[in-house]
Amino acid sequence: MNMKRFSLTRNTAAVTAVILAGSLLTGCGGSRSGSSSGANVVLEFRDGDYITGKPYRVTADRSLRDISCEYGVISKVHPVTAEAAGENEWFYVLPEEYFSSYDLDYDREKAYTESCRVTLTDGTAAETETELAITDPLTADQWHLCNIGQNPYGVTQAPVRGIDLNVIPAWRTILEGRKEQLDGSGVLVAVHDIPADINHEDLRERIFDPGIPGSGDLINTGLSLEDLKESPAAIHGTGVAGIIAASGMNGLGGRGIAFRASMVSIKLDLAAEARSLGYMLRMPGLSIVNASWGRDLETFSQPEQEDLYEALYERNIAVIHAQGNEFLAGYDENRKPYSSSICTELQLDCEFKQTTQISRDPFVINVGSLNSLGVKSSYGSTGANLWVTGFGGEKGGKKDSDAETSAAIVTTSGQYDPRDWNDPDAQTPWRSPDNWYYTNVMNGTSSATPTVSGAVALAYQAMPDMTVSQLRYLLATTSRNDSVMPSLALTVQETASDRSYGEPVVYDYGWQDNAAGFRFSSHYGFGVADAAALVKGALDCGSDPVCAGLKELPEVYVSGNSHPCVFTDDTERNITCTFSDFRDPEDPESVLGSASLVVDAITYEVSGITYLSEGIRDFCELAASPEDEDETEHNRQRKQAVFDANLLLQILAESPAGTKSLIKPLYANWDFKSGFRIPGSDYSNPGSPLSPLRLATSAFYREILKEDPEKHWTLSLKSPCRLDLDALNSSMQLMVYGRKEQ
């Protein structure tokens, strides 16, 4: 008799195995029977998932005394719900060790053969082989979930085993009090992006309607074929949503990290950003906002949005934001006045990213990108405001390409036949009719950010009342740095004689241990997200005095000393500012005094940076000139001069403990002079009010702020042009959020 094997398909909920009593069946065809009885036993495996460890319900059509299996664990008690199995019924779980050893190959992750031995009530023993197939067929292609070196994408550099989110142990975490496993259930995520395809087969069950009147033009608007024909990039929001919470265990495509979380698709319209943020504040149960977007080289202030982001933080809604993809922007002549080749030559970040309110907000979680090889993605923007790194990959493989490539991210694409629009996967070896509505070329910090959002959704399920401050702490303490992932190693980038200044300059400090013991770099933040460690940290938060102490909102203190900035040499191009006399901004009579504040977040108010005409370059005079409404060419040249001056501007912060943070490094393009006034103000009037421009850094997390006449927090500016000291002193402040040390 031939052994029958069954794979899970889109409409199959069970796997059955036919067992011939007294015989051992091997291989696809089995073997000849050695039994004289001819009695058959049928085992059926139902409703389980071997990756997450969701137990299969195993039943037999005959009375059995016992059953045991080669790989899986058989039990008469459901390991999650404690339900007792019925007669001739068992629960089967494939142990986590099957995956944690990373000894799997691609085929064995997609399906494996389980050998089970049964004993009938009459004492007869029999063995069988049963093939269990992966529940969602493309899950094995999602290296960010489980990286075993799989390469169905045809890239020249296959993924490196073990470089992944470590999500399998998180999925297998059992919340005993609630008798459930972690899968994102009960967590609501807002995907603020290009509208997601809410009718996609792998997303439609995850979409939540918040029922807010008048929001139909922004919320759950959907994605049409016409949208994709007009711009294939319109699949962006659909890909982001799929990484977070594509449905799992439905027999379709791949799966999201929090595959049973709920999502709201909110159309990204920067003109309506304040209205969108207002809707988020009205959504009951919202925990996470995923913002895989940014603005390049357009710095402006948005006081209304600043208040709204603060309100989201106060309501424990985490905003998780993409840092950007401009590390090696490689601007050509057509991109001037933003052109600079020196950053690419020196392998430095080509753009300063604290341009929008969301990127400068002290409590927004900014995310960098790791590739499947275990290093920062080539495009991934860096910065002092970075908090954590997710998995964004590289651009993936293309047919007939000689370029060295590594894998991108597999996620949801449009619900439409890709032959009807300009399919970005059309030229990849991965594309086939079996993956028609999915993509393997999603990449960027746009992809890395939802990997963090998905992990955070699991943490919110584990700890529903988690505050954003607690989440930031848990990410900082559980993410993997270079001490546990050697591939993340960095060296200090410095030169003995910088070509612009002719003197020693540090371009990047690499990894530093700050005075509070937190290891940080501008390339990776506090490290690479680890879903399992994050979930464990959330579950243990109550027993961690630091984590438990972050339940309440922090206090805020602002430096009050007048004229904090002075020239440090006679060139009037180098300035150092020191900060003291910290006071409550809402009650200036309330001072920090002798108390010590543990830093939660920190910003520097730098809107007074103003160039004067003299300097080491000719562009200084033009950069300092006023804008002329009637001279278009003059204004274009002036704008270019401002960019040239900003390119050579360096802003370095230092704590009293000696921790250094390059807030604005050399050779990163920035346009701060051209657009940071309050919207609607008179840009041509020098007396027009400036909006505060507060730049953030993560490097000083949990260091101590206290008044000390001998030791100060400082901010140093190195400029190619003379700086207006009075203008800088008129606004310069250090704002610190924290909690008094007990």
Side-chain angles (χ1 to χ4, degrees), residues 585-608:
E586 301 296 327
D587 180 12
E589 298 302 316
S590 176
V591 299
L592 182 62
S594 60
S596 296
L597 201 70
V598 181
V599 173
D600 197 358
I602 196 167
T603 61
Y604 297 86
E605 215 291 61
V606 299
S607 62

Side-chain angles (χ1 to χ4, degrees), residues 654-702:
E654 186 170 359
S655 74
T659 308
K660 294 180 173 63
S661 176
L662 275 171
I663 293 181
K664 163 53 177 82
L666 283 183
Y667 305 123
N669 282 286
W670 189 26
D671 75 330
F672 83 94
K673 192 71 175 292
S674 65
F676 64 95
R677 295 181 186 274
I678 298 174
S681 65
D682 185 354
Y683 280 59
S684 64
N685 180 0
S688 179
L690 294 179
S691 178
L693 184 67
R694 301 188 180 101
L695 302 182
T697 177
S698 308
F700 307 128
Y701 183 60
R702 295 200 64 78

Side-chain angles (χ1 to χ4, degrees), residues 70-264:
E70 179 181 2
Y71 297 114
V73 175
I74 290 286
S75 172
K76 290 295 288 185
V77 177
H78 194 290
V80 178
T81 66
E83 171 193 355
E87 185 177 356
N88 282 325
E89 183 178 75
W90 296 263
F91 298 106
Y92 169 97
V93 174
L94 182 65
E96 183 184 321
E97 288 73 23
Y98 186 85
F99 301 94
S100 60
S101 66
Y102 291 104
D103 289 335
L104 296 175
D105 60 25
Y106 181 57
D107 290 335
R108 283 188 64 205
E109 185 183 5
K110 293 174 69 175
Y112 71 98
T113 301
E114 177 63 279
S115 298
C116 293
R117 182 178 182 84
V118 301
T119 304
L120 281 69
T121 53
D122 64 3
T124 305
E127 294 190 34
T128 185
E129 291 182 342
T130 305
E131 184 177 85
L132 293 172
I134 203 165
T135 314
D136 304 311
L138 298 182
T139 304
D141 296 2
Q142 295 179 294
W143 62 265
H144 64 284
L145 302 180
C146 182
N147 188 341
I148 56 169
Q150 63 267 59
N151 189 12
Y153 338 96
V155 293
T156 57
Q157 296 174 298
V160 174
R161 286 175 179 265
I163 303 299
D164 59 39
L165 189 61
N166 195 28
V167 71
I168 289 177
W171 284 337
R172 288 167 173 261
T173 300
I174 298 173
L175 303 177
E176 295 182 1
R178 286 178 263 168
K179 297 183 178 181
E180 64 184 27
Q181 287 179 258
L182 291 183
D183 53 17
S185 293
V187 179
L188 178 61
V189 182
V191 181
H192 192 200
D193 209 299
I194 296 171
D197 188 347
I198 60 175
N199 292 312
H200 187 283
E201 61 180 10
D202 236 358
L203 297 178
R204 57 190 172 216
E205 292 183 359
R206 308 269 62 83
I207 301 302
F208 172 74
D209 180 5
I212 300 175
S215 65
D217 62 323
L218 293 177
I219 292 182
N220 294 338
T221 58
L223 181 71
S224 69
L225 179 58
E226 288 67 32
D227 293 330
L228 290 175
K229 287 180 177 179
E230 183 176 342
S231 173
I235 65 168
H236 188 275
T238 303
V240 167
I243 293 170
I244 298 170
S247 292
M249 294 185 282
N250 63 351
L252 303 173
R255 68 179 63 181
I257 296 157
F259 54 86
R260 285 192 174 147
S262 298
M263 292 184 289
V264 177

Side-chain angles (χ1 to χ4, degrees), residues 54-71:
K54 180 185 178 184
Y56 289 85
R57 192 177 293 268
V58 181
T59 56
D61 69 340
R62 296 185 60 188
S63 296
L64 303 180
R65 181 187 301 170
D66 192 23
I67 178 173
S68 62
C69 298
E70 179 181 2
Y71 297 114

Side-chain angles (χ1 to χ4, degrees), residues 317-397:
I317 299 171
V319 179
I320 302 177
H321 174 249
Q323 180 76 348
N325 307 319
E326 286 72 40
F327 184 80
L328 298 177
Y331 300 119
D332 58 25
E333 295 296 317
N334 296 324
R335 289 291 303 274
K336 283 188 173 182
Y338 318 119
S339 175
S340 169
S341 61
I342 191 170
C343 61
T344 55
E345 179 184 340
L346 297 177
Q347 295 288 292
L348 304 174
D349 203 326
C350 285
E351 266 193 33
F352 182 63
K353 300 306 299 184
Q354 295 195 47
T355 51
T356 54
Q357 195 61 54
I358 191 172
S359 62
R360 296 193 299 268
D361 188 280
F363 292 103
V364 164
I365 297 167
N366 291 298
V367 179
S369 178
L370 197 77
N371 65 25
S372 65
L373 309 178
V375 296
K376 184 182 77 66
S377 299
S378 59
Y379 50 76
S381 294
T382 63
N385 61 326
L386 199 63
W387 198 263
V388 69
T389 296
F391 295 82
E394 296 285 352
K395 294 185 177 180

